[in-house]
Amino acid sequence: MNNQNIAYDLEDLAKWHEGSSILTPPATLSVFGDPVKHSLSPHMHNPALHNCGIDGQYVKIRVPEVKFKETLSAIYNLGFKGTNCTIPLKFAALNACDHIDSTAKRMGAVNTISFENGKVIGSNSDGPGLVRAIREEFSIDIRDLRVMILGAGGGAGRAVAIQCAMEKVERLVLVNRTKEKAEKLSHELSSDLMDESIHKDSSRLKVTEWSEEGLESEISDIDLIINASSLGMKNSDPELVSQNLLKPHHLIYDMIYSPSKTRLSRNAKSVGARTANGLSMLLHQGAISFETWFNQEAPVEVMRKGLKDAIELESN
Ligand code: NAP
């Protein structure tokens, strides 16, 4: 049995070795989430495992937060190599690890767990995945850019902002509906981006109102605009940035990947700006997790095709 669309649970794991539950190839990796049915991760990891000749299968497991440690022990005892953790379990994952890498520590969130010599090792590939995605999409390193994050107070926005600070981007402007969250985050990041901007007239780290005036006051000193808010998936969602503020030199990275084009990206394209959607971030965070588990380069193009095929299937 090999079904990428099933979401298993702790009860299924308890009878994993019974006849009807045996998977071929055997399950050795997973994504924990609650809900988890929507996860596209199996669609990139299973083709990657197959392509690399690795005997194993990546499955989805629905894990209520209170059952996190129990489920982690269950997959360890079943011989899994590790698991990804998605919303809302990235914080529970942090507490279940024996060792956490510096990025995960900084983000306060773990999205990749590997079992090594009986220890639970946690890391976070979300921010590093974005760094690779920006390099791939725009042929430039994020550290050389002046970045504005829309939705900086959410889980994704926070991870991206911390990564930007760790990369020491040229300039970072945080925008969030609830401004206090962006201000708190800015306070956290201030020691990373303490020194003056090379652009003398603008401060290197700033919070601005999510309003026409707030955006207008900062956007001319920005190269890359990242939408990390949950707005943009629906046609009825409000315009995130007025079209008249978008300029041809802007790079727009919308973390949304379904739909592949949002109003923000369409508006940006029509003024001659370059745009990309969040598929590349999803892909590269997955590729980094794969590299963590197997200590070998991930077959990125195979993974990309798996993701694209799954999204296309979903949208038909
Ligand atoms: P989240 O934690 O729920 O954060 C939502 C963010 O959107 C917050 O900043 C929130 O502002 C803002 N927001 C929500 N409704 C709003 C509204 N009506 N007006 C203005 N701002 C609003 O969600 P998340 O997990 O960070 O995910 C955010 C987006 O990133 C989603 O679209 C998700 O699919 C995408 N994402 C993509 C990837 C990828 O790999 N491409 C990875 C992770 C997430 P407040 O703080 O004021 O509530």
Side-chain angles (χ1 to χ4, degrees):
M1 187 165 70
N2 178 350
N3 193 334
Q4 316 210 89
N5 295 319
I6 294 179
Y8 298 97
D9 61 20
L10 191 55
E11 272 181 38
D12 295 315
L13 296 178
K15 46 188 185 198
W16 208 237
H17 290 307
E18 287 172 18
S20 63
S21 306
I22 294 173
L23 300 187
T24 315
T28 49
L29 289 167
S30 60
V31 53
F32 284 9
D34 189 18
V36 74
K37 250 193 144 110
H38 63 283
S39 173
L40 291 174
S41 293
H43 296 276
M44 62 176 151
H45 283 292
N46 283 323
L49 292 168
H50 182 72
N51 179 269
C52 294
I54 298 169
D55 186 35
Q57 182 173 166
Y58 184 109
V59 296
K60 297 190 258 203
I61 305 180
R62 192 182 73 79
V63 183
E65 197 164 340
V66 289
K67 300 273 182 191
F68 188 89
K69 285 196 176 166
E70 206 180 328
T71 314
L72 195 65
S73 299
I75 64 162
Y76 174 76
N77 291 329
L78 287 166
F80 277 47
K81 205 165 176 57
T83 187
N84 281 131
C85 303
T86 188
I87 304 289
L89 301 171
K90 294 182 184 185
F91 310 105
L94 187 83
N95 296 323
C97 291
D98 299 310
H99 177 81
I100 300 154
D101 80 354
S102 56
T103 307
K105 205 173 274 174
R106 196 62 214 276
M107 293 187 177
V110 159
N111 82 332
T112 308
I113 283 179
S114 36
F115 301 121
E116 288 172 29
N117 306 319
K119 296 264 184 253
V120 181
I121 312 294
S123 57
N124 193 314
S125 62
D126 287 332
L130 175 83
V131 172
R132 283 197 194 177
I134 297 297
R135 194 179 304 133
E136 175 186 283
E137 300 282 7
F138 302 122
S139 311
I140 189 160
D141 285 331
I142 199 167
R143 64 166 59 110
D144 294 327
L145 296 172
R146 299 167 297 172
V147 184
M148 174 180 274
I149 302 173
L150 307 173
R158 184 183 152 78
V160 166
I162 293 172
Q163 189 69 40
C164 284
M166 289 170 70
E167 295 288 318
K168 301 208 179 296
V169 294
E170 283 198 14
R171 181 161 194 255
L172 184 61
V173 175
L174 306 177
V175 186
N176 201 55
R177 174 180 60 179
T178 315
K179 197 177 171 196
E180 296 73 37
K181 287 195 206 166
E183 279 164 345
K184 190 164 173 277
L185 181 60
S186 164
H187 189 68
E188 259 181 64
L189 305 182
S190 57
S191 59
D192 297 285
L193 299 172
M194 233 165 28
D195 45 326
E196 281 304 298
S197 164
I198 57 166
H199 305 276
K200 295 285 179 232
D201 298 332
S202 50
S203 48
R204 190 164 181 199
L205 175 62
K206 198 150 183 200
V207 174
T208 195
E209 291 282 349
W210 200 337
S211 65
E212 184 78 6
E213 301 72 39
L215 297 182
E216 190 173 13
S217 64
E218 301 301 328
I219 210 162
S220 57
D221 281 327
I222 290 296
D223 308 301
L224 171 67
I225 301 168
I226 299 175
N227 176 31
S229 80
S230 38
L231 288 184
M233 286 193 205
K234 291 181 259 145
N235 280 335
S236 56
D237 282 344
E239 200 169 49
L240 305 190
V241 180
S242 305
Q243 193 168 7
N244 64 300
L245 295 180
L246 297 169
K247 303 294 174 213
H249 80 271
H250 283 136
L251 307 172
I252 311 293
Y253 193 84
D254 198 326
M255 285 179 61
I256 293 170
Y257 47 82
S258 185
S260 62
K261 290 191 178 70
T262 59
R263 189 164 165 195
L264 174 65
S265 63
R266 279 195 301 271
N267 283 352
K269 212 162 191 141
S270 70
V271 302
R274 290 162 67 199
T275 66
N277 71 37
L279 188 86
S280 47
M281 178 177 171
L282 179 67
L283 168 69
H284 286 291
Q285 63 78 26
I288 295 169
S289 293
F290 187 95
E291 289 165 13
T292 303
W293 292 318
F294 297 106
N295 201 22
Q296 70 178 72
E297 211 174 303
V300 171
E301 292 316 316
V302 170
M303 296 173 85
R304 192 190 316 270
K305 183 173 180 320
L307 274 182
K308 281 189 168 165
D309 289 350
I311 290 172
E312 201 177 304
L313 206 67
E314 258 183 12
S315 58
N316 285 332

